[in-house]
Amino acid sequence: RIEEAKKNKVKAHVVDKPLFRYWNRWVDSGRYPMLFSFDLKTKEYKNLFKGTGYTFDVKGAGAGNYDISPDGKEICFVFDTARNPGLDSNNDLYTLDLASGKIANITEANKAGDSSPKYSPNGKYILYSSTKTPFTPEYSRLTLFDRDAGSSKVLTEEFEYSPSGAQWCKDTEHIYFTAGVEGRSPMFRYDLEKAKIQKLFDGHSMASVQVGVNEKRLFFSRQAFHMPPTLFAANKDGSDEIQLTKFNDKLLSEIRRHNAESIKFKGAEEMKF
């Protein structure tokens, strides 16, 4: 059908859904991103969504749309329950038992968006992002789903920023993440036992946090007006920071650059800017 469409002289599109185009491609062809598994021994692949009615959205199955449990027996994925992209949306988290094929909605109670599932290293929890208002841009909250209890609780209800790129520590006691704060993205750590958030260190726009295998070092990407995305490593308190990648050093040495400055002032009705 793809080949027929290319050869067809008629290029008109019949549109019966609000979302008919995504960036530079049409999405009215009936094709949707699916999740596959590949057996390394038999070299066979399997469409895990075949016959279920579930698909990923038009953005595809990229990072944040699914995760695999530590024991490899379950997959948690994101599916838009509203199924009316462009007009309405309600992303929920679903678990897929790979042995039985059973699928369950674990965030049905929340009528707004749920996304970015991430299993804890010990397999007890699923960490994810949630919002409260359907189909409205708002800040997200780190939320924890207890797999045994079958219930969720918000971890960052009082945190006034949107956590992103959350990563578990291997001992399942801490969660590392970044958040946009006044034009920067500092590094934070959430203590699961104490239920407290600690700001670790700042450094322009930080992202893609990874916890080292020895639990002592953090690896992350940093960028600023004077520096393209560059990989760094540092201790958890921000000390002993080193730059890991230097692909652009020669090019940047030939460019006259200026660092951006932060300026704060008090506006109308005592608002801070």
Side-chain angles (χ1 to χ4, degrees):
R1 284 192 294 170
I2 297 174
E3 193 63 28
E4 289 177 357
K6 289 181 179 179
K7 294 179 179 180
N8 197 332
K9 294 181 179 181
V10 178
K11 300 302 178 183
H13 288 259
V14 178
V15 176
D16 59 0
K17 296 178 181 178
L19 183 62
F20 58 89
R21 189 171 175 83
Y22 182 71
W23 292 102
N24 63 345
R25 62 187 176 91
W26 301 100
V27 294
D28 58 352
S29 63
R31 300 170 68 215
Y32 296 94
M34 301 287 190
L35 182 64
F36 287 77
S37 65
F38 180 77
D39 192 306
L40 294 175
K41 293 182 179 179
T42 64
K43 308 300 181 185
E44 295 179 350
Y45 63 87
K46 179 182 179 181
N47 184 348
L48 300 178
F49 285 165
K50 185 177 181 180
T52 65
Y54 295 97
T55 68
F56 290 118
D57 63 20
V58 294
K59 294 189 292 295
N65 274 341
Y66 75 96
D67 195 29
I68 306 169
S69 63
D71 59 13
K73 296 181 179 181
E74 182 181 275
I75 290 175
C76 184
F77 66 92
V78 180
F79 176 72
D80 189 350
T81 305
R83 297 308 291 162
N84 197 7
L87 191 61
D88 194 10
S89 179
N90 179 20
N91 284 335
D92 276 324
L93 300 187
Y94 290 76
T95 55
L96 166 62
D97 185 282
L98 294 176
S100 65
K102 181 181 179 181
I103 296 178
N105 185 343
I106 64 173
T107 60
E108 187 174 7
N110 182 28
K111 302 306 178 183
D114 304 292
S115 61
S116 305
K118 190 170 290 293
Y119 286 89
S120 62
N122 62 8
K124 285 189 62 178
Y125 309 106
I126 299 177
L127 180 71
Y128 64 97
S129 295
S130 67
T131 58
K132 286 187 174 182
T133 307
F135 209 55
T136 302
E138 66 162 347
Y139 75 94
S140 60
R141 302 157 180 83
L142 283 183
T143 310
L144 198 68
F145 177 76
D146 189 314
R147 297 177 70 192
D148 291 332
S151 59
S152 295
K153 69 173 181 178
V154 177
L155 303 180
T156 58
E157 189 68 77
E158 304 303 321
F159 190 62
E160 59 181 331
Y161 307 107
S162 291
S164 62
Q167 291 289 328
W168 283 101
C169 200
K170 298 295 188 296
D171 57 13
T172 315
E173 294 180 358
H174 299 96
I175 298 166
Y176 293 87
F177 63 90
T178 59
V181 180
E182 298 178 350
R184 293 173 175 260
S185 298
M187 188 89 65
F188 295 88
R189 179 174 65 190
Y190 182 89
D191 188 306
L192 209 60
E193 183 178 352
K194 298 178 181 179
K196 289 185 177 180
I197 298 175
Q198 175 189 2
K199 181 181 177 180
L200 297 180
F201 57 101
D202 204 340
H204 300 286
S205 295
M206 306 168 73
S208 306
V209 186
Q210 295 291 326
V211 183
V213 292
N214 60 5
E215 303 289 330
K216 295 180 180 179
R217 300 282 280 174
L218 295 176
F219 300 86
F220 52 91
S221 170
R222 171 185 289 167
Q223 64 176 317
F225 281 103
H226 64 282
M227 178 179 63
T230 304
L231 294 183
F232 283 81
N235 291 332
K236 292 179 180 179
D237 60 359
S239 63
D240 193 23
E241 181 180 301
I242 59 172
Q243 181 178 333
L244 299 178
T245 56
K246 300 182 179 181
F247 304 118
N248 297 295
D249 282 8
K250 184 179 184 300
L251 175 63
L252 294 176
S253 67
E254 301 170 356
I255 300 175
R256 184 183 178 187
R257 295 168 291 152
H258 294 280
N259 291 337
E261 297 180 9
S262 295
I263 301 174
K264 296 182 180 180
F265 61 93
K266 188 178 294 185
E269 298 181 0
E270 301 298 311
M271 292 184 67
K272 295 181 180 179
F273 294 91

